[in-house]
Amino acid sequence: MNRQRLSALLPATISASLLGLLVLLAGCAPMEAVRTQAQPVSAAALDTGKAIRAARADAEWPTEHWWEALHDSQLNRLVGNALEQQPTLKIAQARVRQAEALAGITRAATLPRVDASASADRERYSANSTVPPPLAGNYAWKASAAVTASYDLDLWGRNRLALSAALDEVQIASAEAQLARLTLASSIVRNYVQLSLQYTLHDSAQQSLAQRQRLLDISRQRHQAGLASELDVRSMETTLAAGRRELEQIEESMALLRNQLAALSGKGPGDGDTIARPVLALATGHEGALPPQLPAELLGHRPDIVAQRWRIEAASARIGVAQAAFYPNINLSAYAGVQSLGFSHLLDGHSVMAGVTPAISLPLFEAGRLRSQLQEQGALYDGAVEQYNASIVQALTEVANALVRINSVHEQQALASQAVNVAKRQQQLAEQAYRAGLSDAQTAISAQLTVLNEQQQQAVVASKQLENYTLLMTALGGGIKLELP
């Protein structure tokens, strides 16, 4: 073998030997296997409970605009404005864009990098240094221009796994943004239902206050006629003051609910003053019914579960990143350009410079840092899995609770209607007795107050029906199915 061929093979032989030595050393690195402890639970393996098992499985999943089933155009406008203008939603959307930008930064590490540079400086060269005449002792320009390129071979997939984790973070941010939308819409609907109830209670309180005033007038007349004591008059005055206090409390609640609805819609309190009386009407048909294959399909409809599932994927990828840190990192870089003293020869062929710089690095002694980082990622993975499991349990619990409330409200509605009918019958008998002279007006008016109280309870139960519909739609995920890994 001639000398030239030997000199050409020596660098390659040395590089191959060095690479083999580094790989061997990597195999000796004190990396322990990751021992994760948590296992994702299967929703189908959980006992869903009798409330879910007893529900009819003939309903559709909620639509994206599930609140429109309440048939109130003002509510539709409030939710629409909120989903467009609420600052908290814009914060969630900004987090999605931030996650996308971070994924772009991580992706750059998987691709070659090319840089260009140019410089020129004027310098007086020492007459007693290594620079020969005529530059020695004189000023001269030194110019250079170069292009450099580098590429991480990523033999162990560290950069690719880091990119995978970053892309998972984008999915997490997207799911959390959808969760924010669902939470916002649900909050608006529930506050709107409460505002509707307060209007009904306000009407009832006004009627009750009028009846109390009539009772007070009658008591004063009877007292003047010597048929009632002053204690009777004072007692009725107390009930009248209590009625006025109740009316004021209801008006306070209405004002606060309007302000809250305006804030949720991304508006100022002044916009709350323009909110008119709600007109809600929930179509009957599927109360207490669930979509088929609920446990399995619920995983993709609930944004909180989807976010937790992507967290597991991201945590798994980061374990791979931590494992790859134990192996050699090989980076290739090259440069080419021109350099000369003075500008006249800058583009001369003899001014060309070029080179290749392979770099290999391997951690040999990190005092347990890499091993601890790997253990940390394993613990984070276990935490993500358990949080995912907790989300599934919580989701099924919320669905079951909504069904229990819906079934209970059906019974409460029947009982409330029965109580109203009994109170109305009592009122009829009291009025008949009063007209026949068998009882006084106080008895008749008290019977009317009883009817008003029972009607208030009936309105509360009707409001619960609307609120339970909102709770069930929220528990089912609000109508948008997201991507699962």
Side-chain angles (χ1 to χ4, degrees):
M1 181 180 295
N2 58 42
R3 181 175 298 178
Q4 292 181 347
R5 186 176 180 185
L6 178 62
S7 61
L9 288 177
L10 278 176
T13 303
I14 294 173
S15 299
S17 301
L18 180 59
L19 178 59
L21 177 61
L22 289 173
V23 172
L24 179 62
L25 290 174
C28 298
M31 180 181 69
E32 297 180 357
V34 180
R35 297 183 178 89
T36 57
Q37 302 176 9
Q39 292 293 331
V41 70
S42 172
L46 295 175
D47 187 351
T48 57
K50 61 181 181 180
I52 294 179
R53 289 195 300 268
R56 300 195 317 272
D58 58 354
E60 298 292 334
W61 285 96
T63 62
E64 181 177 355
H65 300 136
W66 51 269
W67 53 86
E68 293 181 353
L70 297 174
H71 299 94
D72 190 307
S73 58
Q74 181 175 237
L75 173 62
N76 297 341
R77 185 170 63 255
L78 287 173
V79 177
N81 289 339
L83 296 181
E84 291 180 359
Q85 303 176 18
Q86 232 297 328
T88 56
L89 284 190
K90 293 182 178 180
I91 293 174
Q93 293 164 359
R95 288 173 179 164
V96 175
R97 296 194 300 271
Q98 180 185 14
E100 291 173 343
L102 292 175
I105 295 173
T106 308
R107 180 182 288 108
T110 66
L111 302 174
R113 174 174 176 173
V114 179
D115 297 299
S117 62
S119 65
D121 64 89
R122 184 171 176 80
E123 179 181 350
R124 183 185 185 282
Y125 292 95
S126 171
N128 300 315
S129 184
T130 57
V131 178
L135 294 177
N138 295 308
Y139 284 93
W141 284 96
K142 181 174 68 176
S144 64
V147 175
T148 60
S150 61
Y151 180 61
D152 189 340
L153 295 181
D154 196 23
L155 296 179
W156 321 111
R158 181 184 59 185
N159 294 336
R160 294 190 297 273
L161 288 169
L163 175 59
S164 177
L167 293 175
D168 292 340
E169 290 291 340
V170 176
Q171 297 290 346
I172 293 170
S174 299
E176 289 179 340
Q178 179 57 30
L179 178 60
R181 290 173 57 90
L182 174 60
T183 303
L184 177 61
S186 177
S187 297
I188 291 176
V189 174
R190 295 182 66 181
N191 279 276
Y192 198 77
V193 169
Q194 285 301 310
L195 180 61
S196 177
L197 172 61
Q198 293 303 316
Y199 265 102
T200 302
L201 296 180
H202 188 270
D203 293 342
S204 179
Q206 285 183 323
Q207 296 178 31
S208 175
L209 189 61
Q211 296 292 354
R212 294 171 192 265
Q213 183 63 55
R214 288 183 58 189
L215 282 174
L216 177 59
D217 293 341
I218 292 174
S219 297
R220 286 172 176 170
Q221 293 172 4
R222 290 170 59 84
H223 176 60
Q224 292 175 358
L227 300 177
S229 66
E230 184 179 357
L231 179 60
D232 294 331
V233 176
R234 299 306 177 202
S235 297
M236 293 310 304
E237 288 177 345
T238 301
T239 62
L240 184 64
R244 289 171 177 167
R245 183 179 67 249
E246 179 185 3
L247 187 63
E248 178 60 31
Q249 290 173 345
I250 293 174
E251 291 176 349
E252 176 191 8
S253 297
M254 294 169 64
L256 293 176
L257 285 168
R258 288 196 189 95
N259 291 343
Q260 181 68 11
L261 286 169
L264 290 171
S265 301
K267 304 286 187 178
D271 288 88
D273 298 335
T274 64
I275 297 177
R277 180 169 186 161
V279 184
L280 297 170
L282 178 62
T284 59
H286 289 296
E287 295 95 341
L290 295 178
Q293 300 178 345
L294 173 71
E297 291 293 326
L298 188 63
L299 304 186
H301 283 84
R302 290 266 306 206
D304 56 336
I305 295 179
V306 173
Q308 295 301 334
R309 184 65 189 180
W310 280 111
R311 281 193 174 90
I312 294 177
E313 296 299 314
S316 178
R318 291 193 180 98
I319 288 177
V321 173
Q323 289 175 329
F326 285 85
Y327 296 102
N329 181 40
I330 303 177
N331 185 279
L332 298 179
S333 61
Y335 65 92
V338 291
Q339 186 180 61
S340 70
L341 290 174
F343 292 102
S344 59
H345 299 288
L346 182 62
L347 301 181
D348 194 319
H350 296 288
S351 299
V352 174
M353 60 177 182
V356 177
T357 310
I360 303 176
S361 61
L362 171 68
L364 294 179
F365 179 72
E366 293 282 344
R369 181 178 64 88
L370 296 179
R371 185 169 59 253
S372 297
Q373 288 178 349
L374 183 59
Q375 293 171 348
E376 178 194 17
Q377 295 305 320
L380 290 175
Y381 175 87
D382 288 338
V385 170
E386 296 300 350
Q387 187 62 48
Y388 169 77
N389 295 341
S391 297
I392 293 179
V393 173
Q394 180 65 25
L396 291 176
T397 301
E398 290 178 2
V399 173
N401 288 346
L403 292 174
V404 169
R405 291 188 178 98
I406 288 172
N407 294 332
S408 177
V409 164
H410 285 164
E411 297 296 329
Q412 293 178 41
Q413 285 177 324
L415 295 173
S417 297
Q418 181 181 354
V420 170
N421 292 334
V422 171
K424 287 182 177 180
R425 178 56 180 166
Q426 179 185 359
Q427 178 186 2
Q428 292 175 354
L429 294 175
E431 289 178 351
Q432 290 174 2
Y434 175 69
R435 286 194 296 267
L438 301 177
S439 66
D440 56 18
Q442 285 183 323
T443 302
I445 295 176
S446 297
Q448 292 177 357
L449 290 176
T450 301
V451 172
L452 290 174
N453 289 333
E454 294 300 332
Q455 289 176 339
Q456 282 185 345
Q457 296 303 315
Q458 191 177 37
V460 171
V461 172
S463 175
K464 287 182 179 179
Q465 180 192 25
L466 300 177
E467 184 173 358
N468 290 338
Y469 166 79
T470 303
L471 292 175
L472 182 59
M473 294 299 101
T474 305
L476 292 177
I480 296 181
K481 187 172 183 179
L482 301 175
E483 179 184 357
L484 278 173

